[in-house]
């Protein structure tokens, strides 16, 4: 009998890439290269080979899993034919956080033969309604994917208006408050409540007992994150030393330095050994200021971030919770395609996806 020949290493690595994609829905070239100990060019070649086999979709800087909710829908429209559906997409920013969701949505739209019409708005409900109205009034859309304000009287009015539109609407990274009892709107969102719980559990597992939260004021994520964090802190027997809303990245240099000095003084006075900060820019600013003023991270203070946009590039790299942003965009499009294909007989679908913990050098066991 001939001796068994192991599979080529490249094949094994590509299988591992597919395993990671099935687990989280998207991968980044830089992350895989570091994890596998190979050059980024090697990972790009692997991704190219897998894309040629129709197993994944290449996107800028990585890949997303090629999947769909309705397996009877062909992945691509014929190259010579028109798109199957025309779907509008309105997001409150084309900068931080949302580009990853747009990438996922575009990849899914390409797979399903959907023309995606993108508009950027602001966080103003009036501007969001204006941008959505412009798309709806064109009379050319089959459906809408939107990320609008959902809180307060303006948010409620906007959601009621969306629920009454003559075309289906899928919310991305937004959900309807339960008190409104709207029955037509569908959504795909990250479970930020679970993200807050996961952050507290991670710090508790490292032996931290006195912890603080710093959240971005006005962010739709902050309310959900705080809910999960506060509940888990209580259940785990931790002590919440502070729970603040601030925007360090919106302050000028001197004012920002004073605000961070006050926060660090609070940490020292209360014996706080770990903090969760939303979002990444605030976490980076606090950590670098602390280190510049004699604090050791994570020995004196463990730092966690929420969003994982730039946390990995900090020094030291910041432990972060990563919402599955690209998969949110992908599933929003797939939900819309399934709705348009099946019509009103399809049950309303509301999906929550779990954030992922990325443990890095900014957290360590409490001393």
């Amino acid at each position: 009998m001939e001796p068994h020949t192991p599979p080529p290493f490249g094949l094994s690595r590509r299988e591992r890439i597919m395993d990671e994609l099935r687990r989280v829905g998207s991968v980044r070239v830089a992350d895989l290269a570091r994890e596998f100990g190979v050059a980024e060019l090697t990972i790009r070649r692997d991704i190219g080979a897998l894309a040629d086999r129709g197993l994944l979709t290449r996107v800028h800087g990585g890949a997303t899993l090629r999947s769909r909710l309705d397996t009877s829908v062909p992945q691509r429209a014929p190259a010579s034919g028109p798109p199957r559906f025309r779907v509008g997409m309105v997001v409150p920013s084309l900068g931080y956080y949302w580009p990853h969701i747009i990438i996922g949505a575009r990849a899914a739209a390409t797979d399903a033969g959907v023309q995606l019409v993108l508009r950027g708005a602001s966080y103003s409900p009036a501007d969001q309604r204006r941008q959505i109205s412009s798309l709806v009034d064109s009379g050319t859309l089959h459906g809408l994917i939107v990320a609008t304000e959902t809180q307060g009287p303006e948010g409620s009015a906007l959601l009621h208006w969306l629920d009454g539109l003559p075309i289906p609407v899928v919310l991305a990274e937004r959900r309807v408050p339960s008190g409104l009892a709207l029955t037509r709107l569908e959504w795909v969102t990250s479970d930020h409540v679970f993200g807050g719980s996961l952050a507290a559990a991670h710090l508790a597992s490292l032996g931290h007992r006195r912890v603080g939260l710093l959240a971005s004021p006005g962010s739709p994520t902050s309310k959900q994150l705080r809910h999960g964090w506060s509940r888990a802190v209580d259940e785990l027997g931790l002590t919440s030393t502070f729970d603040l809303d601030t925007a360090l990245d919106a302050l000028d240099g001197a004012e920002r330095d004073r605000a961070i000095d006050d926060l660090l003084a609070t940490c020292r006075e209360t014996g706080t050994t770990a903090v969760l900060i939303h979002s990444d820019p605030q976490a980076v600013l606090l950590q670098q200021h602390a280190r510049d003023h004699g604090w050791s991270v994570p020995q004196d203070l463990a730092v966690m971030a929420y969003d994982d946009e730039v946390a990995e590039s900090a020094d030291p790299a910041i432990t972060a919770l990563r919402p599955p942003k690209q998969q949110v965009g992908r599933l929003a499009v797939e939900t819309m395609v399934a709705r348009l294909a099946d019509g009103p007989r399809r049950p309303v679908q509301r999906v929550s996806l779990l954030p992922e913990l990325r443990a890095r050098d900014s957290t360590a066991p409490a001393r």
Side-chain angles (χ1 to χ4, degrees), residues 23 65-66 90 124 153 157 161 183 186 207 249 269 319 339 366:
R23 188 172 70 87
L65 185 64
R66 175 167 290 175
V90 179
S124 160
W161 175 67
T183 59
E186 301 183 276
D249 48 332
E269 292 165 2
T319 293
R339 168 62 55 202

Side-chain angles (χ1 to χ4, degrees), residues 109-128:
T110 299
D111 288 346
V114 169
Q115 181 184 3
L116 194 67
V117 183
L118 176 67
R119 275 182 176 255
S122 67
Y123 285 89
S124 160
D127 186 39
Q128 292 166 4

Side-chain angles (χ1 to χ4, degrees), residues 245-319:
D245 280 320
T246 190
L248 299 176
D249 48 332
L251 304 177
D252 63 28
E255 188 178 7
R256 182 176 64 224
D257 288 347
R258 286 194 296 272
I260 298 177
D261 284 338
D262 289 343
L263 279 169
L264 293 175
T266 297
C267 289
R268 196 179 298 280
E269 292 165 2
T270 59
T272 302
T273 61
V275 292
L276 171 63
I277 304 174
H278 171 59
S279 55
D280 283 22
Q282 296 212 98
V284 173
L285 287 170
L286 184 142
Q287 177 173 279
Q288 69 187 25
H289 184 96
R291 296 191 71 206
D292 288 346
H293 289 77
W295 289 65
S296 177
V297 176
Q299 288 77 17
D300 295 332
L301 185 68
V303 177
M304 290 188 71
Y306 196 90
D307 277 355
D308 203 24
E309 289 278 331
V310 296
E312 187 178 12
S313 300
D315 182 23
I318 296 177
T319 293

Side-chain angles (χ1 to χ4, degrees), residues 197-198 200-201 204 209 227-239:
S197 299
L198 187 57
R209 311 308 299 169
H227 178 64
W229 167 267
S230 299
R231 184 176 61 190
V233 164
D234 289 341
E235 291 175 352
L236 294 166
L238 308 182
T239 298

